[in-house]
Amino acid sequence: MKLEELRFGTELLKRGFASMQKGGVIMDVVNADQAVIAEESGAVAVMALERVPADIRKAGGVARMADPGIILDIIDAVSIPVMGKVRIGHLVEAQVLESLGVDMIDESEVLTPADEQFHIDKKQFTVPFVCGARDLGEALRRIHEGAAMVRTKGEAGTGNVVEAVRHMRNIMGEIRSLQGRNDQEIIDRSRDLEAPPDLLLETVRMGRLPVVNFSAGGIATPSDAALMMQLGADGVFVGSGIFLSAEPERMARAIVEAVNHFDEPSVIASVSKGLGEAMKGLDVHTLREDEVLQYRGR
Amino acid sequence: MFTLSGKMRCSSIVGVKIGVLALQGDVSEHISAFSRALRATGREKGSEVIAVRKAAQLSHLDGLAIPGGESTTISRLIQKNGMHDPLISFGGGIFATCAGMVLMASCVDDPRIKPLALIDIDVKRNAFGRQRESFEADLEMADLAGPFHAIFIRAPVVTRAGPGVEVLARIDSGIVAVAQGRHMALSFHPELGDDLRMHQKFIQNLEK
C-alpha cells in the first residue's frame, strides 16, 4: 500500500464521519476537564469553545474562534472527535482549526459573522463542516457549498427549545410536503426555496436531507433532546445546557440516555429525576433583533 | 442445514435474520447494506434486517452487525442497557465495522471501553490519526478476486491476532480485516460503499 494511492478529504469520508455521529450527543466544552466529563458521560464528540453560547451573549462584543491553546488542550484530553467553531465566512479561522487537527468545523452563527455575503467554500478543505439552517433552502445551500452535516440553528444560548423545534419542523415538513410531486413541480419549488434544484430532487427522493441532520440551539433537558429526536433529528448538540446546569455530569449522562431511549418516556422520566436546576434560559421574544443569532447567515 | 441457538433450521426455507445493534452510529447504512446484499443474492424471501435495541431481540437472529460510531459511547450504552453478557452469549455470527471491531477485541488501548472479547485480537483506536488522516484505499483481500475499495474513518487497527484468527487484509504492518469462526471485524466501512462482497461472504458463513 503506497501512500500516494490513498485518497483524503473526499465527500464520502466527510459525510461518513458525520454518519458515525448519529444517535449521539455533541457537547460544548470550554476546557479539558469539561471535555473529559463529556467523554465519560457518553458524548460522541465535543465542541471546543472559549465560552458557551449563553456566556457569549452575556460577554457581548465580537465573538471569534477560540484560542488555539484551549483547542489543543481539549484535543489532548479526549479520544473522541473534537469540533471547533469559526465565524461565518472566515476561511482563515477554518484553515487554522484544520491545521490544529480539529475533526469537524462548525461554521457558526453563534460567533460574529466575518462575511455578510459568502459562506466558506467548504469543498476546499480536508476536514468536514457542519452548518446551521432554519429551513430546507438554507440547509441545501450549505450542503451545496460542501457542508457534510446540517444542524438546526435554533436560538443558541437561550435554553429555550422553541426555535429548534420550529426549524426542525420547517425542514421535515417541507420535505414531506414535496413527496409525490413530479420533478417539474419540485424544480419550481426550488426557486422559492432558493435551493439548488438537483439537491432538492435528491432530498425529495430520499425523503430526508442527503446528509446527517442534527438539532441544536436551545436544548436544555433530557426531554428537550428526546423531543428533537422524535421530530426527526439524527442526534443533538447541547451547548450551554450541560455545563451551566446545577449538576453537569448528571445532566450530561441523562441527555445521552434520553437520546438513546428517545421513544421510551419511562426511561426519560427516570433519568430526569432530581437533576437539579436546568440552565435558567431566556424567552426568545424578549431579545432585540440584533441579539437573535439565527438571523446571521442565510 | 445449519445450527442456530441449538435448533436445526433449513436455510433455504427460513431465510436469514440479521440485526443491527442500534445504540449509536451508522445504523441505517448497515440496515440498507444488508438489505441490498440479501436482495442481490436472491435471499430476500423470508429474510429480514432489523434494528436491535434490546437484549431480548438477539435470540431471534442468525447474525448481528455492530456498526461504526464512537466506541466509548457504544460501549457505555451496552453496559447501561444490560447487553454486555447477552452479546457475549449470542449464538450467531457478528459483522463488526470500525467501532464494532474495537468492541469485538480481547484488549483495547483505552480503559474506558469494556470489549466483548469475541475475537482474539488486540486493537488500537484511531490508529491512523484524526479525521484529516481518514482515507479511501483499494485493498487486496484474502478470498476476494480484485481489490476492495475501503473507507477508513478515524479507523482502528489490529495490533495482535491470536492463532485462531484469519487475517483478511493488511495496510503495511497493520491488520485491518479479520475473521474468527462466523465473526468478521473490519477497520473500514463497507456499509458506506456499493461493494457488498464482504456482506455476502458473512451471510454465506452464517449458512455453513
Side-chain angles (χ1 to χ4, degrees):
Chain A
M1 182 65 50
K2 293 184 207 74
L3 208 63
E4 58 268 29
E5 288 169 10
L6 308 183
R7 293 167 63 207
F8 298 91
T10 62
E11 205 59 47
L12 188 55
L13 289 167
K14 291 174 176 176
R15 291 185 180 189
F17 170 82
S19 291
M20 300 309 145
Q21 306 289 308
K22 287 196 297 181
V25 182
I26 299 169
M27 302 182 190
D28 278 5
V29 298
V30 300
N31 56 45
D33 291 345
Q34 290 186 355
V36 169
I37 291 172
E39 182 173 47
E40 283 175 356
S41 305
V44 289
V46 291
M47 178 72 69
L49 291 164
E50 203 154 317
R51 296 189 184 92
V52 294
D55 290 337
I56 291 175
R57 277 186 189 284
K58 268 190 224 147
V62 175
R64 309 181 179 92
M65 168 187 85
D67 183 326
I70 293 176
I71 291 169
L72 287 173
D73 281 349
I74 290 169
I75 285 177
D76 287 342
V78 295
S79 68
I80 55 177
V82 175
M83 304 184 179
K85 283 189 197 293
V86 301
R87 286 180 265 176
I88 290 172
H90 205 312
L91 52 117
V92 173
E93 285 188 348
Q95 290 163 0
V96 170
L97 289 195
E98 179 168 75
S99 80
L100 294 174
V102 160
D103 296 290
M104 181 173 247
I105 295 172
D106 183 0
E107 186 180 20
S108 176
E109 70 283 0
V110 169
L111 305 181
T112 310
D115 191 322
E116 294 191 328
Q117 190 170 1
F118 294 104
H119 279 68
I120 296 170
D121 179 4
K122 294 166 269 288
K123 293 188 171 152
Q124 302 302 319
F125 288 77
T126 304
V127 293
F129 279 73
V130 55
C131 289
R134 291 178 298 160
D135 54 45
L136 185 56
E138 193 173 2
L140 296 180
R141 289 194 294 277
R142 297 295 88 78
I143 295 168
H144 183 69
E145 293 158 1
M149 180 174 178
V150 166
R151 55 171 176 75
T152 56
K153 283 181 169 173
E155 188 56 34
T158 61
N160 187 340
V161 80
V162 64
E163 295 301 303
V165 168
R166 186 194 321 279
H167 301 160
M168 189 58 74
R169 283 199 185 276
N170 268 348
I171 292 172
M172 306 306 275
E174 183 74 46
I175 295 171
R176 275 191 296 270
S177 77
L178 292 171
Q179 296 298 318
R181 304 278 191 92
N182 68 25
D183 286 7
Q184 204 176 18
E185 291 163 336
I186 293 166
I187 290 165
D188 183 58
R189 182 69 184 137
S190 76
R191 284 188 273 270
D192 302 329
L193 293 173
E194 297 177 66
D198 290 350
L199 274 175
L200 186 62
L201 286 166
E202 188 186 352
T203 300
V204 175
R205 212 164 28 240
M206 292 173 73
R208 55 156 297 145
L209 286 180
V211 302
V212 168
N213 181 24
F214 267 46
S215 181
I219 295 160
T221 67
S223 296
D224 287 351
L227 170 63
M228 298 319 300
M229 295 299 288
Q230 287 201 20
L231 292 178
D234 292 318
V236 299
F237 284 87
V238 186
S240 322
I242 289 172
F243 288 99
L244 292 185
S245 71
E247 291 187 61
E249 192 161 350
R250 289 191 57 207
M251 183 63 89
R253 284 168 192 245
I255 291 179
V256 169
E257 282 193 57
V259 166
N260 185 227
H261 298 279
F262 68 87
D263 53 358
E264 295 175 78
S266 60
V267 177
I268 300 166
S270 116
V271 302
S272 301
K273 261 187 279 181
L275 276 183
E277 221 168 316
M279 69 179 285
K280 182 151 184 300
L282 269 176
D283 182 353
V284 183
H285 302 288
T286 64
L287 296 174
R288 290 196 318 268
E289 192 170 327
D290 63 314
E291 293 173 327
V292 180
L293 303 179
Q294 59 181 282
Y295 298 154
R296 295 169 168 181
R298 63 167 294 288
Chain B
M1 298 288 276
F2 63 111
T3 309
L4 283 171
S5 323
K7 281 175 277 179
M8 297 293 278
R9 292 186 204 159
C10 180
S11 62
S12 59
I13 295 171
V14 295
V16 188
K17 298 203 169 18
I18 292 173
V20 178
L21 188 66
L23 299 177
Q24 191 271 318
D26 68 334
V27 175
S28 63
E29 287 80 353
H30 273 271
I31 291 175
S32 155
F34 267 111
S35 304
R36 282 180 284 139
L38 288 166
R39 237 184 351 258
T41 54
R43 286 184 176 83
E44 71 269 41
K45 204 170 171 211
S47 292
E48 76 184 318
V49 186
I50 59 162
V52 172
R53 297 174 65 187
K54 299 255 184 294
Q57 293 170 282
L58 291 169
S59 57
H60 310 292
L61 301 172
D62 304 323
L64 178 76
I66 304 184
E70 280 310 310
S71 49
T72 47
T73 306
I74 299 176
S75 180
R76 194 183 146 71
L77 292 171
I78 286 174
Q79 304 301 325
K80 268 275 169 198
N81 294 354
M83 293 185 89
H84 188 84
D85 294 339
L87 284 169
I88 289 173
S89 52
F90 175 61
I94 297 181
F95 182 86
T97 69
C98 198
M101 175 193 253
V102 174
L103 292 163
M104 292 296 279
S106 327
C107 185
V108 179
D109 67 335
D110 187 324
R112 285 166 296 201
I113 293 166
K114 261 186 90 179
L116 302 166
L118 288 168
I119 300 183
D120 184 17
I121 51 174
D122 294 353
V123 167
K124 182 175 192 285
R125 297 173 67 228
N126 304 335
F128 298 96
R130 311 192 64 83
Q131 174 59 18
R132 65 182 176 198
E133 282 90 36
S134 293
F135 61 94
E136 297 181 42
D138 289 323
L139 282 184
E140 295 302 328
M141 299 204 60
D143 305 340
L144 285 190
F148 190 91
H149 188 71
I151 300 145
F152 291 84
I153 297 175
R154 288 172 49 95
V157 295
V158 174
T159 52
R160 181 196 63 84
V165 176
E166 187 190 352
V167 173
L168 302 176
R170 294 172 189 270
I171 284 188
D172 293 331
S173 57
I175 298 167
V176 295
V178 294
Q180 185 173 8
R182 285 184 294 177
H183 300 326
M184 195 182 276
L186 312 171
S187 298
F188 49 92
H189 295 280
E191 74 277 9
L192 295 180
D194 297 323
D195 190 340
L196 298 169
R197 287 177 294 167
M198 299 308 294
H199 289 81
Q200 286 161 7
K201 195 174 148 160
F202 173 76
I203 294 166
Q204 281 159 13
N205 284 342
L206 290 180
E207 292 170 340
K208 276 183 192 156

